[in-house]
Amino acid sequence: MYINITDNKEASNKGSSGGLVNYLEKENRTEELKQPELWFNGNRQDVEAYEVRRALDGNNAKLGRHEAKFFLINISPSQKELEHLRKSVGDPDMKNVLKAYTEKVMDEYAKNFRRPGIGSNKDLLWFGKMEHNRYYSHKDAAVKDGSRKRGEKKNGNQLHIQVIISRRDITNKIKLSPMNSSKGRNAEHSKKMGQFDRMAFKQCGERLFDEQFGFERNLRDTLAYANILKNGTLQQREQLDVLLEASMKNYQSKSVVNELALGVAEGIFSSVGNMLESTGKTVGEFLEVLMEPVHIPDIASDTIEEAEKRRKRKARQQEQGMQR
């Protein structure tokens, strides 16, 4: 599950939301859909584009000219996750269950701020838009090696959801920024902006999907695995190798191994021995430990394959350095 919060790099968010709303209407203009995809939130499933723009642009009281007025959240299930949904609920209901899942993700978004009065998606002003296609970008490995062109449609089921969320809460009184990285360390700043842990939010989205839809996630498909490959220390990567070997030998159930991987990413396990000793505990005991806040760096939109290639390249460079 890929969940990402975009600031103003890809979508200008310091002025009107009209440009972004219009952009996200592109499939209604260019694709031959049986019915246009309307916007939705926790209250309605039939919101028109003009209503989205009007609501968002009218909910920015006391925000300065150079302050963000809204943010874009990309909720993109993987091919494996979409196929699991298709088999579980059938093609006709996939959109509905993804929309219901999005509401719960937005509940987690609200809770992540840890602000009084902000406890669910009902306290936020947000609108979701179902999209059917994804496109190759300059970041994709296939574009870099020349096998695909930038802007070309990706094959297979590409259902995903884009959410525009107002900087202000539903009352237009409380300022909320998911780009606040203090995570509670700066008390005064957190009082004004709320504290928000982006990695914890993404992890909640992954776990929520698994629990809601009974998805058995392989270790290689977890956010913790990708994060360790990209940002982990040598010790953490060594621990990950042991976990991967254990999972391949069915030494532990997938859920236990995946919880352990998250524990490695959070720095809970100080050594391989410590980690292996912990495998004798129950999943419930692991979860008690894992309730501690997640403070690990955000990962980019790199694929697992790219992360593994980078890891192997670093290993070769280190080996060459030792030989010299």
Side-chain angles (χ1 to χ4, degrees), residues 33-263:
L33 303 176
K34 293 181 180 179
Q35 293 181 338
E37 287 291 351
L38 298 178
W39 297 73
F40 69 94
N41 56 24
N43 299 314
R44 291 175 54 190
Q45 301 289 315
D46 58 350
V47 185
E48 297 280 357
Y50 76 89
E51 296 180 89
V52 174
R53 178 190 58 77
R54 186 170 60 188
L56 291 169
D57 290 355
N59 200 67
N60 51 21
K62 297 182 180 180
L63 289 178
R65 179 180 177 183
H66 299 293
E67 287 187 274
K69 309 299 188 300
F70 53 87
F71 301 97
L72 179 66
I73 303 176
N74 182 349
I75 302 175
S76 293
S78 67
Q79 292 283 290
K80 288 181 181 179
E81 290 165 334
L82 287 171
E83 180 60 18
H84 176 78
L85 279 184
R86 189 188 67 79
K87 291 180 178 179
S88 300
V89 302
D91 289 316
D93 291 329
M94 284 185 66
K95 291 182 182 180
N96 290 333
V97 297
L98 279 176
K99 289 179 180 180
Y101 166 74
T102 299
E103 288 187 35
K104 292 188 177 182
V105 170
M106 297 311 295
D107 284 337
E108 296 300 328
Y109 179 92
K111 294 173 185 176
N112 205 303
F113 284 103
R114 302 184 182 184
R115 288 286 299 270
I118 307 297
S120 76
N121 80 86
K122 303 291 186 181
D123 300 313
L124 308 170
L125 181 65
W126 65 277
F127 299 94
K129 182 70 162 55
M130 180 74 66
E131 292 198 314
H132 298 76
N133 299 301
R134 293 192 190 95
Y135 304 86
Y136 286 99
S137 74
H138 66 282
K139 296 180 180 180
D140 287 304
V143 174
K144 293 177 181 179
D145 65 23
S147 61
R148 297 290 183 181
K149 294 182 179 180
R150 183 177 180 179
E152 184 179 346
K153 287 183 181 180
K154 294 186 176 182
N155 296 326
N157 190 342
Q158 299 294 341
L159 278 181
H160 64 286
I161 290 175
Q162 303 278 14
V163 174
I164 307 180
I165 172 75
S166 175
R167 174 74 174 272
R168 290 281 190 178
D169 76 318
I170 193 69
T171 68
N172 203 9
K173 295 179 180 179
I174 301 176
K175 186 186 296 186
L176 301 167
S177 175
M179 310 315 290
N180 170 26
S181 58
S182 73
K183 301 172 186 172
R185 293 189 293 269
N186 185 328
E188 289 302 316
H189 188 68
S190 293
K191 286 181 181 179
K192 296 179 181 179
M193 304 294 182
Q195 50 184 296
F196 197 92
D197 191 322
R198 289 187 293 277
M199 180 57 74
F201 170 59
K202 295 175 184 181
Q203 189 68 49
C204 281
E206 180 179 283
R207 185 173 293 170
L208 182 63
F209 184 92
D210 297 350
E211 292 175 353
Q212 184 171 345
F213 303 116
F215 183 68
E216 283 289 323
R217 187 176 302 277
N218 291 320
L219 176 59
R220 289 179 181 271
D221 297 326
T222 63
L223 180 62
Y225 182 90
N227 186 68
I228 296 170
L229 284 183
K230 182 175 175 63
N231 301 308
T233 64
L234 177 60
Q235 184 183 54
Q236 287 175 321
R237 292 197 296 271
E238 288 175 347
Q239 292 174 358
L240 190 66
D241 288 337
V242 175
L243 276 178
L244 185 60
E245 183 178 355
S247 66
M248 294 177 67
K249 291 181 178 179
N250 292 321
Y251 177 68
Q252 291 287 338
S253 68
K254 289 181 181 178
S255 60
V256 172
V257 172
N258 293 347
E259 292 294 347
L260 282 169
L262 179 58

Side-chain angles (χ1 to χ4, degrees), residues 291-306:
M291 288 301 289
E292 298 178 8
V294 183
H295 295 308
I296 47 183
D298 283 350
I299 64 170
S301 58
D302 296 15
T303 63
I304 297 296
E305 290 78 10
E306 289 174 331

